[in-house]
Amino acid sequence: CCPRTHPNLTMKSVLALMMISSAFGKGLKALRTVEDAVATSDSCLSLNIDILTDNYPEQTNWFISAKDGNVVVSGGGYTESTTRYVKHQCIEAERFYTFHISDTDGDGSGSYQLSFGGKTFIEGKGFNSSMQHKFMLVDMDTAIVTPKRKYADKGNANVVSGSNLVGKATA
């Protein structure tokens, strides 16, 4: 009579699979549970961007851009060495962003951390001339993050729920 369906597969699950697979190429191969990647449609999530400058703070700049290339938030012009600067920004859920950080002299030895809901989902230290991370905040407990690269591509993405890696989405 009717096609068989997986008992945990819901319309939200299908939409999440379509969203992830269209973002990273054809054919999503693996996720621990699709429900972990389902986003809420309530849009804005509070993002914390935490930058620790090195000995030359004026050389450090960063920004977060949306998929269309528009800059959502940025920082720089720092004056105090080895000082922590924190910026809070509300960003839309269910959209891909790229965090870019750079050091004009190519010797960036400071650190950075992005978190929301008290959970860190991107962090790094010693980024030399530049580093990029692509990510999506799905809901208050879940972020999708590509591995850090100078230029992230359509390769794999990690699905992070809470502070745990729960699966991989690969193209």
Side-chain angles (χ1 to χ4, degrees), residues 16-33:
L17 279 170
M18 291 169 59
M19 174 181 67
I20 293 168
S21 104
S22 71
F24 292 107
K26 297 180 182 174
L28 183 67
K29 293 182 183 171
L31 268 182
R32 189 187 69 130
T33 72

Side-chain angles (χ1 to χ4, degrees), residues 6-127:
H6 189 278
N8 293 331
L9 195 61
T10 65
M11 183 54 97
K12 283 178 135 183
S13 300
V14 171
L15 291 173
L17 279 170
M18 291 169 59
M19 174 181 67
I20 293 168
S21 104
S22 71
F24 292 107
K26 297 180 182 174
L28 183 67
K29 293 182 183 171
L31 268 182
R32 189 187 69 130
T33 72
V34 176
E35 294 301 319
D36 288 327
V38 174
T40 63
S41 59
D42 299 332
S43 54
C44 185
L45 296 173
S46 181
L47 174 67
N48 296 318
I49 304 104
D50 187 333
I51 305 294
L52 176 63
T53 59
D54 60 11
N55 291 326
Y56 303 97
E58 67 282 355
Q59 297 175 354
T60 301
N61 295 289
W62 62 269
F63 64 94
I64 294 176
S65 60
K67 189 175 181 181
D68 62 9
N70 289 329
V71 173
V72 176
V73 61
S74 63
Y78 302 120
T79 57
E80 299 293 321
S81 62
T82 61
T83 300
R84 185 167 307 283
Y85 292 87
V86 178
K87 186 158 193 163
H88 306 281
Q89 179 70 32
C90 185
I91 67 169
E92 294 277 331
E94 301 182 38
R95 297 179 191 261
F96 279 94
Y97 296 94
T98 303
F99 171 73
H100 309 257
I101 188 163
S102 63
D103 183 284
T104 56
D105 205 37
D107 62 353
S109 60
S111 64
Y112 55 91
Q113 184 177 59
L114 276 66
S115 61
F116 72 107
K119 299 167 186 120
T120 298
F121 67 99
I122 291 176
E123 61 186 345
K125 179 171 174 45
F127 49 89

